[in-house]
Every structure is written in structure tokens, then in C-alpha cells.
Amino acid sequence: MVGRGELTDTAWERMAPMLPGVDGRGRPWRDHRQVINGVLWRLRTGAPWRDLPERYGPWQTAYERFARWEADGTWARLLEQVQVRDDSVGAVQWTVSVDSTINRAHQHAVGARKKGATAGDELGNPGRASAGQALGRSRGGLTTKVHLACDGRGLPLAVVVTPGNVNDFTVFDTVMDELRVPRTGSGRPRRRPDAVIADKAYSSRAIRQVLRRRGIQAVIPERADQKANRLRRGKAGGRPPAFDRELYRARNVVERCFNRLKQFRAIATRFDKLATRYQAGVHLAALILWLRGPTQVPSSDRSE
């Protein structure tokens, strides 16, 4: 019997062939499905690893499996493989929406030492050590920001984690660099969407020029101050940037994607000390969204 939040039989059938197998060295893996369900329980509840229910096996096994697969990139590869499979059948919609969300960091997320930092760095300059673990201080305290690019169905394609006080504009190129779906056959991975939809935080000449050079349609509204400055300069201000108002209505898919990701409480609130572990949790949550499939688009959002 499948418990709440655990892998369904359908999801398991899709995931099982992609998991690491026994290589003949050391002890065999403890049942993958049991352990992954334990990791999902922790991700969904945000509880400490030591509180993992007994039905998922020893908590040390679940934690070590999660940490090991984070270190060797297994979670990121699993996410990539489901993206490749959907793209091979034409299911991925390459009208990409980009945005970010800020998540509060729990007090247990603080304290990890930055690689190469001394004890004096943490005591005398805690901001330096925190920034190395994607923790930024803002009005609400320490926060982490998740930058996301999702396809037209609201499924995550690229994830970048930064301190919460980092400006969205400065991370746009990094998010686009992470946008990469390999082909099933020959050929280079697909990295260029048909269009990129983003809000006014991404409205800049530099971003529009980068998208134009790559042949990507930019669907980004112009900020009021930019519009006023352009009008003030007259002919020297140039023409207003092209903006597809109807296509921009589809931007809410990224908001719905964030809402689904934050149903995992260990994503909505950060408990992990290491930024890599937190990002691995986001990758796993994104993988589950791909296995579940897109949500039903409300009738008000459908094109006539």
C-alpha cells in the first residue's frame, strides 16, 4: 500500500530503470524504493533525519544515500533523464518561464563552514561563511533564493540556488547556462528555447541583447522608469522593445511550479546547512513533479 507522498507504482516503474545498480563491490543496496520514500518523507515534512519512521529503514541509510547521490550528481542526472525522455517524444514545451522565489532559512541551516574559511571567518565575519552556503541576510533574516526556469507546462528545466539577497538580473545568464536537455540520439543538447518569459525584474538591455543574439524571443515587460527614460531621450531613446502581451499571460506557470515545489516543507523552509544538499532536495522535488506530470491548466488560462 502506497503511503501519502510516497512513490506511486507508475512513478516507480519510470524511475527504477534509471537508478544505480549493484556493481559487485561491497554490500548490496538497501531497497531503493524504501530508501527514496524515506528521503521523500523527510523532504515533505521537513523533520530531522533522526525522526524518520521505522518503515523506511535506518535513518542513517536514508541520509547517507541522499548525501552520496548528491555528491556524485545522481539526483541531477535522474532529473535530466526524465527531461530527455519527455523531450524525445515532443512533450516538453519550449516556451520557458524564468523567475525566483525566496525561502527562509531555519536556524539549523546556519553553521556550516565555508571551504577554506577559518574559525575567525565564522566568528568575526559570519556573512562571508554564510554567503558560501547560499545564505543571504535580508529584512526577514537569513534566506536562500531558488532561481527556476520551467517549460510551458510548469515543469522545472533548470535550478540555481543563491543567497536570498542576490538580484535576479545577475543570475539570469547562469540559469540559461543550466538550461540543457541532451538528445536521445546524436547531436548537441538543446539549450535554446523558443521564447523566454520573465517579469520586470529581468527587464534590461543586456538580457534582451543576449536573447536576440541566440534567436530567442524575449517576452519581458518594460519597467516604468526605463520607459520614461526612453521617452525623455526622444529619437535617441530608440523604439520600445517588442512585447507579446498574450504570450506573457502564460508566465504564471512558473508561479504554479513554485507552489508545487513548496509543498515539500524542506524546500519552502531550508533546514540543510550545505547549499549543495538543499539544491539536491530541489532536484529531487523537481524530479517528482516530472514523474507526476503537469497539473491541469485552469480554464481561464487556456487560450481561446
Side-chain angles (χ1 to χ4, degrees), residues 42-56:
R42 185 263 172 184
L43 196 65
R44 180 174 58 84
T45 63
W49 287 100
R50 293 176 182 271
D51 294 341
L52 195 71
E54 293 182 359
R55 66 180 181 272
Y56 299 121

Side-chain angles (χ1 to χ4, degrees), residues 30-95:
R30 190 179 185 92
D31 181 63
H32 278 324
R33 187 171 184 177
Q34 180 190 31
V35 175
I36 292 174
N37 281 333
V39 175
L40 288 176
W41 181 89
R42 185 263 172 184
L43 196 65
R44 180 174 58 84
T45 63
W49 287 100
R50 293 176 182 271
D51 294 341
L52 195 71
E54 293 182 359
R55 66 180 181 272
Y56 299 121
W59 70 266
Q60 298 95 330
T61 301
Y63 171 75
E64 290 171 2
R65 187 81 55 86
F66 174 73
R68 179 175 180 175
W69 285 2
E70 172 268 312
D72 64 16
T74 297
W75 299 119
R77 283 195 300 271
L78 291 174
L79 176 60
E80 181 181 85
Q81 288 179 41
V82 296
Q83 293 171 349
V84 170
R85 184 163 52 189
D86 275 24
D87 189 48
S88 66
V89 297
V92 177
Q93 297 180 11
W94 283 94
T95 298

